[in-house]
């Protein structure tokens, strides 16, 4: 039988009309019984019939332009009859009908595969792509950008009233000496290295993209010999040369974008969990970068024939100086046992570094300046 | 077929977790594969499912929107965002301080103006695409009026350090709800800023005093305030809307949902959504002599979906 009981709405009022539909060739023949006992008939052309996508207990079909007519049929045989009568005609949106007819286990399978895939992309493909992208940024942009960040952080001593943001005051004499010191070393870099010493008690230093390196005088004051300073510069210049800031930014940004892509439609809780995981991941990455900079610093010391124990001593200074007072935001140098082990393992025992008179004399001036101004 | 009408009519949501889960997984898969561009279709699929599984007086709702319509809106929204953030970035890179400041100022002004545009567009689109028994909803608000109201109230809220916010929310709801049509049914919102202000003040104080515990009761008071201040009117007959949601029930719902999400790393989200929709729908009742057969189509066709995605992007919660 090709005739089914239906409810019908004409799109003009909400009144329920009862009747039947007969599946005919190329159209549906709808007959409506009116309350007054009369009957009327409507034809729906096959090509204008649309099914609403999700089938509950009721199959709902819409017809025509706005305002659409609606037909509801609760007979479970109706769908089967449709497929039999119009085998070449697609009433249903394929992807979701397919989906809803498949078992839940299929979807759990898909989910597991998807999760594994996402994890793989996040862990292995994304970092490579992000780093590759970071490397395509032209050096001149990096320098310009780093200078801008630098301007925002450092102020000349005379402009103290206008102080805002990080409030770091440049020490002109020490900065000049530090740059002279750096000139005596070969860092094998194409970046213009510019060192700025700031009057802060904090024991730290950081590098900005493009060549600006900021050293806190607190760190300088704790240093006993030039090897330590050379090791520090070697480390910071390595951050610049290897574009660590850019890589870090590209990586955390790509991680963030990826996570917001996959949690697009999901809920807050999942997003928060994943974002925290991403931050942990980035923390791990910055350790990697530190290790790379350490290795590079060691190489610089060796190239310049400066005593390699400088790196190990530098770590000891940083360790002692970091008891509780470091502003977390600047603490880009998490000290780990691995780093100390690395420095110890790679230092050359009984080495005979070439004495460099010029380097020694600049270092002497730095020491002299600091001991004079301390009192 | 006429029968005696009961005094109360309840909404029911009968979506099922496993079905919704399948839809979410497909949406998720396609969204990732298309780098996010499937988003409008994903949204349409979810809205269709949820509308179709919400019932009132024996009939389902229908969502008529399509991914294609919303995709056009989605592209427009992306365009606006690219221009906005692009100019902000360009100004910042130029290093010119006064230019940067001007652009930042313009950025925020445009952002504030975008909100009422987005609300207006979304309401018009969403309402026109929602129907029940073939009768479409409609939003008849005027965009310029809404923008003026919005800007005025935003300024007052800033000047009063946020105190005016209660009046702001109620002004907005009064205007929006007053302009919603459902066939020949009209709506009216009777909430006011003062009541709402005290409700919030009480809610926040008690939430603080109870170490956050009162939050669930506070939330239900807000829900009740929103719902019970809406009056529908059909042919001169008032149809008050009532909420039966209880703080304790909401507490239980939230706790269970939270654990469901945490222990499945969010994979139970579809079930959480089903539970939440069931809870809220089953707690909304329409009182009075509603005649479901006598609604008349009153709205015209409307075709612009750009507001809908804008509301999503700005993270506005309309309901």
């Amino acid at each position: 039988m090709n005739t089914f009981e239906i409810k019908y709405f004409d799109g003009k009022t909400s009144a329920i009309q009862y009747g039947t539909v007969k599946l005919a060739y190329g159209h549906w023949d709808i007959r409506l019984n009116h309350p007054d006992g009369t009957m009327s008939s409507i034809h729906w052309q096959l090509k204008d019939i649309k099914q609403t996508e999700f089938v509950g207990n009721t199959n709902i079909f819409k017809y025509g332009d706005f305002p659409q007519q609606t037909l509801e049929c609760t007979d479970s045989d109706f769908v089967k009859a449709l497929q039999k009568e119009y085998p070449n005609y697609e009433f249903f949106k394929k992807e979701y009908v397919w989906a809803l007819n498949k078992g839940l286990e299929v979807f759990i399978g898909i989910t597991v595969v998807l999760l594994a895939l996402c994890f793989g992309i996040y862990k292995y493909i994304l970092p490579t792509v992000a780093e590759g992208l970071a490397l395509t940024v032209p050096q001149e942009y990096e320098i310009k950008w780093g200078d801008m960040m630098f301007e925002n952080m450092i102020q000349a001593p005379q402009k103290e009233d206008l102080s805002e943001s990080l409030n770091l005051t440049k020490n002109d004499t020490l900065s000049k000496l530090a740059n002279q010191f750096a000139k005596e070393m070969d860092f094998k870099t194409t970046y213009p290295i510019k060192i700025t010493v700031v009057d802060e008690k904090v024991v730290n230093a950081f590098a900005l993209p493009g060549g600006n390196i900021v050293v806190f005088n607190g760190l300088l004051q704790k240093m006993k010999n030039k090897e330590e300073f050379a090791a520090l510069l070697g480390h910071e210049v390595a951050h610049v040369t290897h574009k660590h800031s850019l890589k870090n930014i590209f990586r955390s940004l790509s991680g963030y974008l990826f996570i917001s892509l996959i949690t697009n439609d999901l809920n807050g809780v999942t997003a928060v969990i994943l974002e925290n995981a991403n931050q942990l991941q980035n923390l791990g990455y910055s350790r990697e970068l530190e290790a790379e900079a350490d290795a590079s610093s060691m190489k610089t010391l060796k190239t310049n024939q400066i005593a390699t124990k400088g790196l190990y001593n530098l770590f000891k200074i940083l360790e002692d100086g970091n008891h509780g007072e470091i502003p977390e935001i600047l603490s880009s140098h998490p000290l780990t046992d691995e780093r100390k082990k690395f420095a110890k393992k790679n230092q050359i025992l009984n080495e005979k570094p070439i004495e460099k008179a010029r380097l020694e004399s600049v270092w002497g001036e730095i020491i002299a300046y600091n001991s004079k101004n301390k009192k | 077929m006429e029968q005696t009408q009961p005094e109360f009519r309840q909404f029911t949501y009968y979506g099922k977790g496993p079905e919704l889960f399948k839809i979410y997984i497909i949406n998720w898969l396609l969204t990732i594969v298309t780098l996010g561009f499937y988003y409008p279709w994903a949204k349409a699929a979810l809205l269709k499912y949820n509308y179709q599984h919400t019932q009132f007086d024996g009939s389902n709702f229908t969502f008529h929107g399509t991914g294609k319509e919303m995709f056009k809106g989605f592209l427009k929204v992306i365009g606006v965002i690219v221009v906005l953030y692009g100019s902000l970035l360009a100004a910042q890179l130029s290093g010119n301080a006064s230019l940067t400041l001007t652009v930042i100022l313009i950025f925020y002004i445009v952002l504030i103006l975008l909100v009422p545009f987005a609300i207006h567009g979304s309401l018009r689109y969403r309402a026109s695409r929602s129907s029940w028994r073939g009768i479409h909803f409609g939003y008849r608000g005027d965009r310029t009026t809404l923008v003026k109201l919005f800007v005025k109230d935003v300024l007052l809220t800033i000047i009063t350090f946020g105190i005016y916010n209660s009046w702001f929310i109620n002004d907005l709801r009064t205007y929006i709800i007053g302009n919603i049509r459902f066939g020949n049914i009209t709506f009216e919102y009777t909430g006011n800023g003062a009541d709402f202000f005290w409700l919030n003040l009480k809610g926040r104080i008690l939430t603080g005093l109870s170490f956050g515990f009162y939050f669930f009761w506070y939330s239900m008071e807000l829900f009740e305030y929103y719902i019970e201040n809406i009056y529908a009117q059909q042919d001169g007959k008032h149809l008050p809307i009532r909420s039966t949601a209880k703080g304790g029930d909401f507490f239980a719902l939230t706790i269970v949902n939270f654990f469901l999400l945490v222990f499945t790393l969010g994979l139970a989200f579809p079930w959480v959504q089903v539970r939440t929709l069931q809870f809220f729908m089953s707690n909304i009742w329409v009182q009075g002599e509603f005649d479901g057969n006598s609604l008349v189509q009153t709205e015209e066709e409307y075709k612009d979906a750009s507001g809908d995605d804008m509301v999503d992007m700005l993270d506005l919660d309309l309901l």
Side-chain angles (χ1 to χ4, degrees), chain B residues 108-293:
Chain B
Y108 280 106
I109 290 172
V110 172
L111 215 58
I112 288 179
L113 285 175
L114 269 184
V115 176
F117 267 73
I119 294 177
H120 177 85
S122 173
L123 282 166
R124 288 220 56 178
Y125 178 73
R126 198 57 84 76
S128 74
R129 289 296 179 270
S130 308
S131 78
W132 180 82
R133 291 194 186 172
I135 303 297
H136 286 250
F137 283 80
Y139 172 69
R140 294 186 178 181
D142 172 54
R143 186 163 67 191
T144 319
T145 316
L146 185 71
V147 170
K148 280 183 192 157
L149 174 91
F150 192 87
V151 170
K152 184 197 92 195
D153 279 16
V154 163
L155 290 178
L156 281 170
T157 304
I158 294 171
I159 293 169
T160 57
F161 301 106
I163 292 174
Y164 196 75
N165 193 36
S166 294
W167 282 262
F168 181 12
I169 291 172
N170 280 280
D171 281 357
L172 216 54
R173 293 186 79 89
T174 306
Y175 187 75
I176 289 171
I177 291 169
N179 278 297
I180 291 178
R181 296 285 180 281
F182 175 38
N184 53 343
I185 291 185
T186 56
F187 296 87
E188 188 190 353
Y189 179 73
T190 55
N192 67 72
D195 291 348
F196 194 66
F197 177 79
W198 291 116
L199 179 69
N200 276 298
L201 192 68
K202 185 191 109 190
R204 280 177 202 186
I205 291 173
L206 287 177
T207 301
L209 288 178
S210 63
F211 303 102
F213 233 76
Y214 190 74
F215 172 78
F216 301 98
W217 281 262
Y218 171 36
S219 300
M220 285 307 96
E221 280 175 6
L222 283 182
F223 180 69
E224 192 181 287
Y225 191 82
Y226 284 146
I227 292 298
E228 300 207 340
N229 274 306
I230 300 174
Y231 287 86
Q233 202 172 3
Q234 184 186 24
D235 301 327
K237 277 177 288 182
H238 266 293
L239 303 167
I241 299 171
R242 294 282 163 254
S243 154
T244 47
K246 302 270 183 306
D249 299 338
F250 184 58
F251 174 72
L253 174 83
T254 312
I255 293 293
V256 175
N257 281 354
F258 178 77
F259 283 115
L260 275 176
L261 283 179
V262 168
F263 286 117
T264 61
L265 288 177
L267 286 177
F269 184 60
W271 283 269
V272 166
Q273 202 188 40
V274 166
R275 288 168 47 82
T276 311
L277 281 170
Q278 270 171 355
F279 174 78
F280 282 106
M281 288 304 172
S282 63
N283 277 308
I284 303 175
W285 300 77
V286 176
Q287 200 183 351
E289 293 171 43
F290 172 72
D291 182 359
N293 278 329

Side-chain angles (χ1 to χ4, degrees), chain A residues 312-332:
Chain A
Y312 183 75
N313 291 343
L314 173 70
F315 290 159
K316 285 214 319 226
I317 294 172
L318 286 171
E319 198 178 40
D320 294 342
N322 279 354
H323 286 305
E325 55 171 328
I326 191 142
E328 283 309 314
I329 205 165
L330 295 176
S331 171
S332 49

Side-chain angles (χ1 to χ4, degrees), chain A residues 143-160:
Chain A
I143 293 171
K144 200 174 149 193
W145 186 45
D147 281 343
M148 225 168 62
M149 285 163 71
F150 181 76
E151 303 279 311
N152 284 329
M153 283 181 194
I154 310 292
Q155 54 177 12
Q158 64 268 25
K159 281 198 269 175
E160 206 146 3

